[in-house]
Amino acid sequence: MVLDPEIKSQLNQYLGLMEGDVLLKVCAGDDQVSTDMLGLVDAIAGMSSRIKVEKADLPRTPSFSVNRPGEETGIVFAGIPLGHEFTSLVLALLQVSGRAPKVEQDVIDRIKSIQGEYRFETYISLSCHNCPDVVQALNLMSVLNAGISHTMIDGAAFKTEVESNNIMAVPSVFLNGEFFGGGRMTIDEILTKIGMTRDDSELFVKEPYDVLVVGGGPAGASAAIYAARKGIRTGIVADRFGGQVVDTLAIENLIGMKYTEGPKLAASLEEHVKEYNVDIMKLQRAVRLEKRDFIEVELENGAVLKSKTVILSTGARWRNIGVPGEEEFKNKGVAYCPHCDGPLYAGKRVAVVGGGNSGVEAAIDLAGIASHVTVLASSPELKADAVLQDRLYSLPNVTVLVNVQTKEITGMDKVNGISYIERVTGAEKHVELEGVFVQIGLVPNTEWLGDGLERISSGEIVVDKRGATSLPGVFAGGDCTDIPYNQIVISMGSGATAALSAFDYLIRH
C-alpha cells in the first residue's frame, strides 16, 4: 500500500512523539486486504526505528496487534485502520510507546482499578465518524489495564462475521462474546456501563453559581465561555459535550473554517471551555427547573444545582417517525446515520424517510452503496434544495415517492420492509427492503421543563431578542429555542447573546 503523501507527512510528525519501542505482530493471508494491510504496516515500520514487525497467528486474518516488546497490550486492528480510524492507529502507537494519554486522572484511576477479564470487540465502518471515539476509548483501557483487551473489526473486511452476528449498525461493541452496546460512547459512558461510575457526591454540595449553563453543544460552550470571561462563577452541566454536532460528519459552513468534522469540533469546544474557570459537570442530565430563592436545576441523580441565572442550551435530537417497528428494529435495520451505517447495506435495498436536505443527501450517499434506494416524503413534493433534487433524480437506482404516509416498518428479527399509504388514493402499499434510514428533522430536548416556561407546540423554548425566556433569570440559546434556523454558527451566536444577557440581568438584580 502506498500511503497518501498527506497521511505520510502526518505520520512522520506523530511517530516522532513516540517514547518507547513498539512491536507490531501481523497475521496476513493472500487476499487483497491482507496485502494492503501488510503494505501499511511495512510503511509505518519504515518510518520509525522504534517500530518492529513480526509475523504471528492471531484470531482473525488479516489483523495486527500493537504491543510493547515482551508485553501484550491486547490492542488488535482487524482490517486496515485508515479513513476515520487513522487517528485510532496513531494514538495506539503513541500510547503503547509510553506517551501519556490526554484524559483526566479520575478516568485513569478508574480504568486501572477494574478487576477481571474484559475482552472487547468493536465492529466499525471506516466511514463512520462515531466509531473512533469507541475504538480509542477501548484501546486506551487496554493500554492501562492488563485485564482488558480490544479488537477493532472493519465490517467491510469481515462481511461474513458481520452477517453471522446480525450487525446492522456501527459501532457495535461486544464484551466477552455478548453484545455490550451500540452507537457512540465516550470513555466515561463505557466505564459507567461496566459499573465504574464517577463519584458524584460533590454535586450535592455545590455552591450557587452566578450562571449555570445546561447543555454542552455549540450554544452551551459559547455561553459558558462568554460568562466565564466576565469573571463570574460559571458552571456547565451536560449529558455530553458537543451535543448533536458529535453526530455530524462534514461541516463546511462554519465561518472561517473551510472544513471540519463534528467529533473534531466537539472536542475543540470542550477544550476551549476548559481554558476558562468553568465548573464542568459531564454525563449529567437535567430533569427539573424551578425558581425559588435561586433558580434550581435538579439532575437525574437527585443533586440540585442552584444559580442566580440559568442558560438553557439542551439542543435537539433526531425526530422519530413514531410508527410500529421503528423502536423494535433500531440497530436491526432502522438507522439514523447513513455515513456510519450505510456501508453495512452494500448491495441491499434501503429506504430513506424524509424529503428535506438531510433525507435527499442521505439517499444520494446510499445510492452509491445500496442496490436500490426508495425515498418516502410526506409532502406533495421534495423540500430539498434544487441542486440536490436534480442529483437525486439523475440516479438510476432511486425511486422517489411523494405525498405518502409511512405506516409501519416490518420485520421478524430484523427489517424486511416498509408499508406506506398514498395520501391521494388512500391505497396501502409495501416495499420489501433490508434497511430504513430516518431523516425527518429534529425535536428539541425540552420535555423535562414541563410547564415551567413558555414553549411553542413543537417544544421549542420561546425567547426574545436577548435570549430571555418567560421565566425571569432564565435564558436560552441554540436548537432548543424558537429561533428560525438550526445552524452551528447561529447556535454559537445565540449562546453568546444569552450569556451577555444573563450578565446584564445579574448587574440589574
Side-chain angles (χ1 to χ4, degrees), residues 35 37 228 270 273 321 357 359 366 386 496:
T35 300
M37 186 196 72
E270 184 172 0
V273 172
I321 314 172
N357 281 349
L366 291 166

Side-chain angles (χ1 to χ4, degrees), residues 282 387 426 466:
K282 293 192 293 185
V387 64
R466 294 179 175 272

